[in-house]
Amino acid sequence: MLLDDLDRRLLTLFSDHPQMGVLGASRELGVARGTVQARLDRLVSRGVIRSWAPQLDPASMGYPVSAFCTLEIRQGRGHSPVVQHLERIPEVLEAHTITGSGDVFIHIVARDNADLQRVIDAVVDDRHVVRANTTISLATRIPLRTLPLVQSGG
């Protein structure tokens, strides 16, 4: 779905001011309230806006250690059994199937390095996981972002 100028302005406004309401956005953008609501509904229904939930910081919640693991999984059963196992581990923030030498790439968090070992042990405690290769993140230089895509004309 291509975004027009009003979509880009609307998404930028709500990214900068997430607590702003529809009426405030209509005033700020100089368009009717119904236009703002219709655009938001369309952006939500097409999956452009996935959530209105707050963005949470794991480090501020006591999980300052962040790591990435590439998992090799046993072939023949697909990814579903491993994904179901990973979904039960709260410290697994994301999981992606990938190409290359691994099969699944996950982002995990932990309270400290000893806790990271516990999380990794939980991740590999599944008969479908053959091997895990873990890399600890030292610093996040560019956090997950999508607004530059919006502003570039996407």
Side-chain angles (χ1 to χ4, degrees):
M1 169 189 171
L2 297 177
L3 302 174
D4 66 15
D5 183 59
L6 181 56
D7 291 332
R8 285 191 289 277
R9 290 175 35 218
L10 186 62
L11 292 168
T12 298
L13 181 63
F14 276 101
S15 293
D16 292 342
H17 305 283
Q19 294 180 324
M20 179 174 285
V22 172
L23 182 59
S26 71
R27 288 178 180 153
E28 182 75 23
L29 297 173
V31 298
R33 182 191 181 285
T35 301
V36 170
Q37 188 63 60
R39 289 296 181 112
L40 289 174
D41 291 344
R42 183 174 56 103
L43 292 167
V44 169
S45 71
R46 293 194 176 171
V48 174
I49 297 175
R50 293 189 299 181
S51 173
W52 293 102
Q55 293 182 9
L56 306 176
D57 179 26
S60 296
M61 296 186 305
Y63 295 89
V65 177
S66 182
F68 299 90
C69 299
T70 302
L71 306 179
E72 292 180 31
I73 64 172
R74 194 169 315 285
Q75 303 301 305
R77 297 275 324 266
H79 293 87
S80 294
V82 173
V83 171
Q84 290 169 359
H85 166 69
L86 295 172
E87 286 176 331
R88 292 189 293 272
I89 304 170
E91 295 87 357
V92 175
L93 303 184
E94 296 180 81
H96 304 268
T97 55
I98 59 171
T99 62
S101 62
D103 301 301
V104 179
F105 186 74
I106 64 174
H107 179 194
I108 60 177
V109 293
R111 295 189 183 281
D112 53 35
N113 285 350
D115 191 46
L116 178 61
Q117 181 65 61
R118 178 194 60 79
V119 174
I120 293 168
D121 289 346
V123 165
V124 299
D125 188 23
D126 183 89
R127 65 185 181 93
H128 299 99
V129 177
V130 176
R131 179 175 297 113
N133 183 356
T134 303
T135 302
I136 297 174
S137 173
L138 298 177
T140 300
R141 300 299 181 177
I142 300 174
L144 177 64
R145 62 192 185 132
T146 53
L147 197 54
L149 292 174
V150 170
Q151 294 170 336
S152 73

